[in-house]
Amino acid sequence: MAKKVILTGDRPTGKLHLGHYVGSLKNRVILQNTGDYDVYVFIADLQALTDNARNPEKIRNSLIEVALDYLSVGLDPQKTTIFVQSQIPELTELTVHYMNLVTLARLKRNPTIKTEIKERGFGEAVPVGFLAYPISQAADITAFNANLIPVGDDQLPLIEQCKEIVHSFNSIYGNVLVEPEAMLSQNKACVRLPGIDGKAKMSKSLGNCIYLSDDKETVKNKVMSMYTDPNHVKVEDPGNVENNTVFTYLDAFATDEHFKKYLNEYNNLDELKEHYRRGGLGDVKVKKFLINVLEDILEPIREKRSYYEKHIDLVYDMLSEGSKKARIVAQETLKKVRDAIGINYFN
Ligand code: ATP
Ligand code: MG
């Protein structure tokens, strides 16, 4: 039986952050290492240009940063095909065919797009390319016959949109496209990690991130500045762990091992939360623990990054090779799509 195909991407609009790590990257590496799947990971530069057309330098510079982040967290080009969206023109043609199957009303109703238009202050001045990026995303997914998409929950409406396109296409032109399934993390704190400002989502565009490449001092300062329970003023005060960003991060990152290593007066997070609720546990102590937990994860990532930063040529070669390999697959899909529509007049 053919292996299941996993595909995910990231917009090169900056470096990758802890939200990416728990929402998607960590899972990709685990899945890659099972050897049970064909894994594709791509840098969505065309999508990033849809809201950054006037700032192409940013996209160009971020491309290499994202590639460095990939290698640093353990994505392995021997096991995973890593490619660049713009280097596969077939994706753009697929987008054009799918555009005819989606209405303007449907795009405007997409909850993710609605939120993002608001966040960016676009209103009616939204670029057509931005509004239509869910269609281009459907092209990315279907070009590689992807079955599973490991993502944060902001992506669910986009996967839904992709499924609709697959249904429309297959019902009109015959069974060509594969329907994808979103794959969410089991840990609630991971499907949408909040920003350090406590806002709903850590996001490059909102500037509330801890980046995988932040140095130790920066991570420390960011954690120390994090929002906790505003009513937990004195150490003796009982505290709230819900909507308390520091505890949400511990939900996402802390393991019992971390307690053994850094805070062995508690066996696990439940015991720490219990003490905080009761009163008598200060924010600084909890934050210091979180810093240790994050350092445990980030230090090995930083180390790998510094190796690849010294070997940038290797990183570009890796992207170029991956893009060549991926293009062959996209070409096969596009041929099937053209045949199905009947625009194959000369063969
Ligand atoms: P931008 O602000 O440019 O949209 P972003 O920070 O939202 O950037 P994306 O490149 O859009 O990052 O997202 C890439 C992947 O990471 C998606 O699968 C998305 O669901 C996931 N992701 C992004 N932010 C988070 C988060 N805070 N928590 C969990 N998953 C996230
Ligand atoms: Mg995003």
Side-chain angles (χ1 to χ4, degrees):
M1 219 175 74
K3 283 185 180 178
K4 289 217 165 189
V5 178
I6 292 180
L7 175 130
T8 41
D10 304 276
R11 294 156 37 94
T13 49
K15 299 176 175 190
L16 299 184
H17 53 64
L18 287 175
H20 296 120
Y21 183 73
V22 288
S24 184
L25 289 173
K26 195 174 150 194
N27 260 332
R28 295 180 205 173
V29 176
I30 293 171
L31 292 165
Q32 157 197 279
N33 291 337
T34 64
D36 295 339
Y37 304 92
D38 270 339
V39 186
Y40 292 89
V41 172
F42 72 103
I43 307 184
D45 57 339
L46 292 181
Q47 189 189 120
L49 282 165
T50 63
D51 55 336
N52 290 282
R54 284 169 178 76
N55 198 1
E57 257 328 273
K58 173 167 125 189
I59 308 307
R60 203 184 156 86
N61 296 334
S62 302
L63 183 100
I64 192 70
E65 297 293 346
V66 172
L68 284 167
D69 286 327
Y70 282 169
L71 295 169
S72 315
V73 298
L75 283 176
D76 175 354
Q78 300 300 324
K79 300 178 185 162
T80 291
T81 308
I82 303 175
F83 68 92
V84 181
Q85 187 185 29
S86 61
Q87 304 310 300
I88 320 249
E90 288 72 17
L91 297 176
T92 311
E93 182 175 332
L94 285 174
T95 304
V96 168
H97 296 306
Y98 300 166
M99 279 184 158
N100 304 328
L101 306 176
V102 181
T103 67
L104 184 59
R106 176 65 182 89
L107 288 173
K108 284 187 170 167
R109 232 177 25 237
N110 186 312
T112 301
I113 302 297
K114 262 174 137 167
T115 311
E116 291 181 345
I117 287 179
K118 215 189 266 153
E119 278 168 5
R120 287 160 178 72
F122 280 144
E124 281 296 301
V126 57
V128 173
F130 185 81
L131 189 66
Y133 91 66
I135 304 177
S136 122
Q137 201 161 306
D140 305 330
I141 293 170
T142 54
F144 301 95
N145 308 306
N147 311 96
L148 294 171
I149 320 289
V151 284
D153 75 347
D154 61 316
Q155 295 291 307
L156 292 178
L158 298 163
I159 308 294
E160 211 38 55
Q161 173 87 75
C162 176
K163 284 189 193 179
E164 284 176 32
I165 291 172
V166 169
H167 284 172
S168 302
F169 189 96
N170 287 350
S171 71
I172 301 168
Y173 302 113
N175 236 338
V176 175
L177 304 178
V178 175
E179 183 176 323
E181 212 51 67
M183 200 177 184
L184 286 182
S185 168
Q186 297 299 310
N187 182 336
K188 233 181 90 214
C190 297
V191 298
R192 185 178 296 213
L193 190 77
I196 53 170
D197 55 358
K199 283 221 182 99
K201 183 177 171 275
M202 181 179 285
S203 161
K204 287 176 241 123
S205 305
L206 301 176
N208 57 6
C209 304
I210 294 177
Y211 293 98
L212 298 177
S213 48
D214 276 348
D215 63 28
K216 207 170 169 170
E217 198 55 26
T218 309
V219 173
K220 184 174 154 226
N221 293 336
K222 286 182 178 174
V223 171
M224 282 303 174
S225 78
M226 264 162 76
Y227 170 93
T228 56
D229 171 5
N231 298 317
H232 183 250
V233 186
K234 287 189 270 145
V235 174
E236 314 83 80
D237 292 341
N240 195 349
V241 299
E242 322 304 330
N243 304 318
N244 182 326
T245 316
V246 177
F247 278 96
T248 309
Y249 279 37
L250 289 176
D251 279 328
F253 297 100
T255 62
D256 295 354
E257 281 309 302
H258 289 132
F259 279 93
K260 269 201 204 100
K261 218 162 144 187
Y262 302 114
L263 202 62
N264 63 15
E265 57 209 270
Y266 306 92
N267 286 309
N268 52 45
L269 187 52
D270 288 336
E271 288 185 19
L272 187 76
K273 283 182 177 173
E274 176 21 49
H275 192 185
Y276 194 81
R277 286 199 192 96
R278 203 168 62 226
L281 174 58
D283 282 342
V284 171
K285 185 162 174 178
V286 184
K287 284 182 170 175
K288 281 196 171 145
F289 176 56
L290 176 58
I291 292 169
N292 281 324
V293 169
L294 294 181
E295 277 308 311
D296 210 53
I297 296 165
L298 292 173
E299 186 47 36
I301 296 178
R302 261 183 226 129
E303 229 168 80
K304 272 198 164 170
R305 202 177 209 277
S306 89
Y307 169 82
Y308 286 109
E309 276 170 349
K310 290 182 206 109
H311 298 84
I312 288 291
D313 287 353
L314 287 182
V315 183
Y316 279 109
D317 286 348
M318 179 274 292
L319 290 177
S320 160
E321 285 304 309
S323 300
K324 275 188 208 136
K325 219 172 117 196
R327 188 166 182 198
I328 295 169
V329 181
Q331 279 167 335
E332 282 166 19
T333 304
L334 180 62
K335 179 172 184 307
K336 283 190 209 151
V337 162
R338 286 175 152 240
D339 286 346
I341 301 176
I343 47 172
N344 52 355
Y345 315 114
F346 310 122
N347 16 327

